[in-house]
Amino acid sequence: MGVGFKDSKEMTGLASYAVLCVMVLLSLRPARRFVYQVFFISHVLGFVSFFVVMCYHTPYASPWIFPALAFYGLDVFLRFLRYRFKPATLVAVDRTFTQIVIDRCDIGWVAGQHVRLRVLFGTRVFESHPLSICNAPASISNITTSRGQILLGARVVGDWTKALNDMASRIDEESDAERCCDDEKNKGKEVMVMIDGPYGGISFDLGTYEHVLLVAGGAGITFTLGVLDDLVGRIVRLGRAGGEKTTKIEFAWCIKSFGCIQWFASQIEDVANAAAKCPSLELHMKFFVTCLCDPEALPDIPNSEVTMVKPSITKLLDQFVHDASPSGKGGIGVATSGPPSLVDEARNSVAKLSPRVAHLGGIALHTEVFCL
C-alpha cells in the first residue's frame, strides 16, 4: 500500500510500546544489581527514543514533551547549584568495602542523611550514587579521626563500587613499599568528588526516647553508625544540652563474617569507649555473624558480644522491650537499615508490639532500605 513508517500510527505506536517494555524489563532488580551500566544506559537511550517515536506517532505529543524536558532541565540546573566539589580520599578496607573520606565538609548536614556522590575518575564521571553519612559533625562526633570530614562507605555490589575499590586497592598495593607502617596520612587514593545533597534523614529525634534500638544488616551500618555517633556525642560531649532522655542504647549488626567488622572497627571502638565513660548512658553492642570466616579479625570493643547465628528481629525487639519494662515511660525509638527482608521484619515486629508498649511511652520506627 506504500504506507511509510512515518505515516503509520500503528507501527510507531508499537515501537513506543516496545521501548517502554524493554525499559521495564531492564529495571528489574537482577538487571540493576548485575548489569547496572546496561540498566543506566538503556534508560537514557530509551527515554530519548520514546520521545522521538511519540513525535512521529502523533503531532499532539510535542506540546507535552517539551514542557517536561524544560522542567527536567530546570531540575538539573537547580541541582547543579547545590553541587560541591571537594577533595576526598579513597581507602580500600578490604576487597569488599571502600571508605570515602571527604575533607573540608563539616557544615550543612546532620547524621542520618545521605548524599549523592560522583567520583571524578576514569569513565565513571557521569555516575552518581547515594551513600549514607557514617559520622556526626566534628563538634558532636566521638570518632577521633573525624576532623571536619564526611565519612562515607561503599560496599562492593556493582560495577561502580567495584571500580572504586579496585582503584583504591591498586594505590594501596603500589605504595605499601614506600609507606611507613604507622603513617596513616598517606593511606589511600586522593581524588576529587562532586557532592549533591544532603537528602533524607531520620524522621524523629532518637534523643527524645529513653530506650533506643539500632539494627543494621550488612552495609546498613553506614546509616546506624552515623546515628549512633550523633546520639552518643550529644549525650557525652554536649552533656545532654538538647534535653536528650536516652539512657540505654542497643546496637545490633548482622554480618556475613568477622572481617566485616573491620569496615568500621576503629569508629565503633571510639563511640563505644566514649559511651563507656558516661555513667548515665548504657551502650551494648551485638554482632550477629552468619559465617565462621576470619575469626581473628574480631576487634576488642567494650560492652559487646558476638553471636554465631542469624538474628530474629522479633526476638531481639521482644527482649529489648522486656528489659525496658521495669524502668520509666520514656518510650522506645527503633532505627533499622539494611536489606528489604530485614526492614520488613522490623516493620512487622514493631506493628505487633505497638499495643503492648503503650505503657512505656509508645514506640517509633525509622527504616532505611539498602538495595539496588
Side-chain angles (χ1 to χ4, degrees):
M1 295 177 61
V3 178
F5 178 77
K6 295 182 181 179
D7 301 321
S8 174
K9 295 179 70 70
E10 292 80 6
M11 290 295 291
T12 52
L14 288 173
S16 61
Y17 180 69
V19 170
L20 293 179
C21 289
V22 171
M23 291 172 64
V24 169
L25 291 175
L26 291 176
S27 296
L28 298 177
R29 188 178 180 187
R32 300 197 312 270
R33 182 176 179 84
F34 297 108
V35 284
Y36 183 86
Q37 289 298 309
V38 174
F39 157 75
F40 179 80
I41 294 173
S42 67
H43 273 63
V44 173
L45 297 178
F47 276 116
V48 174
S49 302
F50 177 75
F51 287 153
V52 171
V53 175
M54 282 300 295
C55 287
Y56 281 117
H57 178 65
T58 172
Y60 301 106
S62 298
W64 298 98
I65 291 175
F66 292 111
L69 293 176
F71 278 113
Y72 176 72
L74 177 62
D75 173 72
V76 171
F77 175 73
L78 293 177
R79 289 166 72 94
F80 181 77
L81 297 179
R82 292 170 54 93
Y83 289 158
R84 287 173 287 176
F85 291 87
K86 296 287 183 180
T89 303
L90 307 180
V91 180
V93 181
D94 55 28
R95 298 301 296 177
T96 64
F97 199 84
T98 309
Q99 286 187 4
I100 303 103
V101 182
I102 304 174
D103 297 320
R104 303 196 299 273
C105 198
D106 195 39
I107 58 173
W109 56 272
V110 296
Q113 292 185 307
H114 70 271
V115 297
R116 296 195 64 87
L117 184 74
R118 193 187 304 268
V119 181
L120 307 182
F121 75 102
T123 60
R124 307 282 178 171
V125 295
F126 299 106
E127 292 186 54
S128 65
H129 295 265
L131 296 175
S132 295
I133 299 174
C134 308
N135 62 316
S139 60
I140 302 174
S141 180
N142 302 281
I143 299 173
T144 56
T145 56
S146 180
R147 297 181 295 272
Q149 300 168 327
I150 282 182
L151 174 62
L152 307 175
R155 183 181 180 183
V156 176
V157 292
D159 295 340
W160 184 80
T161 49
K162 186 177 186 304
L164 204 66
N165 185 268
D166 286 345
M167 182 173 64
S169 299
R170 185 169 59 253
I171 295 299
D172 283 347
E173 291 169 1
E174 290 173 355
S175 58
D176 273 344
E178 303 173 3
R179 186 193 307 133
C180 296
C181 296
D182 59 348
D183 186 5
E184 293 295 330
K185 285 194 307 181
N186 299 322
K187 187 177 182 181
K189 165 67 175 175
E190 293 184 357
V191 295
M192 287 297 297
V193 299
M194 187 165 67
I195 308 172
D196 176 16
Y199 298 102
I202 194 163
S203 54
F204 55 87
D205 183 4
L206 287 171
T208 60
Y209 294 88
E210 186 176 354
H211 299 84
V212 172
L213 174 64
L214 304 175
V215 183
I221 180 68
T222 55
F223 170 78
T224 54
L225 177 59
V227 171
L228 176 67
D229 185 28
D230 175 77
L231 183 56
V232 173
R234 286 190 288 153
I235 295 171
V236 177
R237 293 193 61 186
L238 303 187
R240 302 182 185 268
E244 287 76 15
K245 302 176 182 177
T246 308
T247 58
K248 181 178 180 180
I249 304 173
E250 185 154 316
F251 180 87
W253 186 17
C254 179
I255 47 180
K256 290 184 178 180
S257 69
F258 291 98
C260 294
I261 301 178
Q262 294 299 325
W263 294 352
F264 293 108
S266 63
Q267 291 83 2
I268 293 174
E269 286 185 55
D270 287 341
V271 176
N273 288 328
K277 298 175 183 177
C278 181
S280 64
L281 177 65
E282 178 186 351
L283 171 62
H284 185 248
M285 296 187 171
K286 291 183 178 180
F287 301 97
F288 297 91
V289 183
T290 58
C291 174
L292 184 58
C293 305
D294 200 18
E296 65 276 4
L298 183 65
D300 183 20
I301 299 174
N303 299 320
S304 66
E305 63 177 280
V306 178
T307 304
M308 293 291 300
V309 66
K310 184 177 180 179
S312 166
I313 305 302
T314 301
K315 292 181 179 178
L316 188 66
L317 192 54
D318 277 338
Q319 184 62 47
F320 188 71
V321 170
H322 179 268
D323 295 340
S325 297
S327 60
K329 297 181 181 291
I332 299 173
V334 182
T336 306
S337 60
S341 57
L342 182 140
V343 170
D344 289 342
E345 185 181 356
R347 288 171 177 162
N348 293 333
S349 300
V350 169
K352 293 176 183 177
L353 277 174
S354 292
R356 293 168 42 195
V357 297
H359 67 286
L360 296 176
I363 186 169
L365 173 68
H366 177 88
T367 60
E368 297 274 336
V369 179
F370 280 61
C371 68
L372 287 175

